[in-house]
Amino acid sequence: MAVKIAIACYPTYGGSGVIATELGLALAERGHEIHFLSYQSPQRLAGEKFLPNVFFHEVEVTAYPLFRYPPYDLALASKLVEVVETYGVEILHAHYAVPHAVSAVLAREMLGNGVKVLTTLHGTDVTLVGQDKSYLPATRYGIRKSDGVTAVSNDLAAQTRALCMACDIEVIYNFVDTERYRPRPCEETRAHFAQEGEKVLLHVSNFRPVKRPDVVVKIFAQVAAAMPSRLWLVGDGPELAGAEALARELGVGDRVHALGQRRAIEQILPCADLFLLPSAQESFGLAALEAMACGVPPVASNVGGLPEVVEDGISGILGDPDHADLLASRAIELLQDQKAYRAMAAAARLRAVEHFDRSIWIGRYEAAYRRLLES
Ligand code: GMT
């Protein structure tokens, strides 16, 4: 049964926006009608093939001299109402609690027509932003008043329950399209930023403090002291300049390449030998999963949901991000042992295909929608 779904999400490169967009596109391919709502078109929507059942509705926030802070959450709620009334949307799917869940609940109350709200929690909406005292009561309200709640890992579900935000939370893991994200030859791309025989370490993020780009650079500096190597930094954010400064301080500035924000990430990932993600907190670690699908083992922190994705010593390396030296020495050992490296790269790919391929998890979202419509 085809369902009409409105997806409220962030349009940026961050994981929640990526999952929301990939989910919407996959659902559209399965015949559902998808309406994305955000303040700009989601990044991953750009360049996608034309699908007649995919719509984007820009949430416009009108400025007014009285408004020091134009109320985006109200504009989003109003847009959701408009989209439901115009297109007969049956489900409002909020990705990220703040403010999307609250706006969706408000829209449902305004409509009063039985439309259902499903909220998907992604991590920082519960563990960081949502816990800020300026947002906590509203975050709790949005989550509790949703008709259904999903979380992207068991760890995040447990953290949410601990905060008494909601008890009935279904875990629906993040997923990856393992046909698009796959190992591929990339001599040409590599040649731009690395020489033959050099190892390439890669970090992709929004360079916020939670991603610990300082640890990324510290790990790399030790690897670079042990073997010819390069560090590629993809993405942008407040900590990027600091990471580059640290690299210069540690004497590896000329081996670090900031590539900026890139769209075709599936073409860059397979060029790396290792993917670094030593975050302070990570509810799932979608970037690590995308690397694994490309046959690139992650070197990541053993926090949050990452141990549910990466099996330490099998499909990647997990450790304490405050012990960069330990993570670095395990990375060096792996890179020096070709047989062990090949086995880990193959295990990483296999784990992504067998446990996190999108075909497995899209069906779980469809089932959640069905249950809501029948309730
Ligand atoms: O990691 C970020 O800062 C971005 C953030 C987001 O919401 O866009 O990512 C979160 O959601 C992703 C998709 O579910 C998860 O894979 C990330 O682990 C999670 N980030 C954190 O928990 C820090």
Side-chain angles (χ1 to χ4, degrees), residues 2-6 33 35 57 80-92 111 113 115 373:
V3 184
K4 295 185 179 188
I5 305 155
E33 185 176 306
H35 296 263
H57 308 274
L80 282 166
V81 168
E82 182 191 314
V83 168
V84 170
E85 286 177 342
T86 310
Y87 297 90
V89 161
E90 303 151 273
I91 299 270
L92 308 180
L111 284 155
N113 67 348
V115 70
L373 291 177

Side-chain angles (χ1 to χ4, degrees), residues 93 118-122 143 146-158 160-161 166-174 308 360-372:
H93 192 166
L118 180 68
T119 293
T120 291
L121 305 172
H122 282 274
I143 294 173
S146 296
D147 299 296
V149 179
T150 74
V152 297
S153 66
N154 286 308
D155 182 79
L156 180 60
T160 311
R161 284 186 201 108
C167 289
D168 198 6
I169 303 170
E170 183 183 1
V171 174
I172 303 186
Y173 279 131
N174 283 335
E308 295 172 51
I360 305 168
W361 297 101
I362 302 296
R364 291 285 295 275
Y365 278 111
E366 283 179 308
Y369 299 144
R370 263 197 309 274
R371 276 198 308 277
L372 284 183

Side-chain angles (χ1 to χ4, degrees), residues 13-92:
Y13 284 99
S16 63
V18 169
I19 283 295
T21 315
E22 300 286 355
L23 170 65
L25 292 171
L27 289 166
E29 277 172 20
R30 291 183 182 215
H32 302 287
E33 185 176 306
I34 304 301
H35 296 263
F36 289 104
L37 286 90
S38 195
Y39 51 81
Q40 70 183 44
S41 180
Q43 297 290 348
R44 289 249 174 139
L45 212 52
E48 278 299 324
K49 63 173 187 275
F50 173 75
L51 290 167
N53 48 345
V54 172
F55 302 84
F56 168 66
H57 308 274
E58 186 177 328
V59 179
E60 283 172 66
V61 186
T62 308
Y64 184 69
L66 196 62
F67 294 159
R68 185 158 170 207
Y69 306 107
Y72 178 75
D73 34 13
L74 296 184
L76 173 58
S78 299
K79 197 70 179 179
L80 282 166
V81 168
E82 182 191 314
V83 168
V84 170
E85 286 177 342
T86 310
Y87 297 90
V89 161
E90 303 151 273
I91 299 270
L92 308 180

Side-chain angles (χ1 to χ4, degrees), residues 160-228:
T160 311
R161 284 186 201 108
L163 278 169
C164 272
M165 282 179 163
C167 289
D168 198 6
I169 303 170
E170 183 183 1
V171 174
I172 303 186
Y173 279 131
N174 283 335
F175 52 83
V176 62
D177 177 349
T178 57
E179 285 184 11
R180 199 161 104 214
Y181 287 78
R182 59 181 159 80
R184 21 174 135 215
C186 51
E187 286 77 26
E188 214 181 293
T189 311
R190 260 180 93 108
H192 291 296
F193 300 105
Q195 284 170 14
E196 222 177 306
E198 289 180 330
K199 300 293 181 195
V200 172
L201 278 65
L202 173 64
H203 172 73
V204 181
S205 81
N206 49 20
F207 289 84
R208 308 221 175 267
V210 71
K211 298 293 173 183
R212 297 297 306 268
D214 57 323
V215 180
V216 168
V217 172
K218 284 180 193 163
I219 294 173
F220 172 67
Q222 291 195 42
V223 173
M227 62 189 70

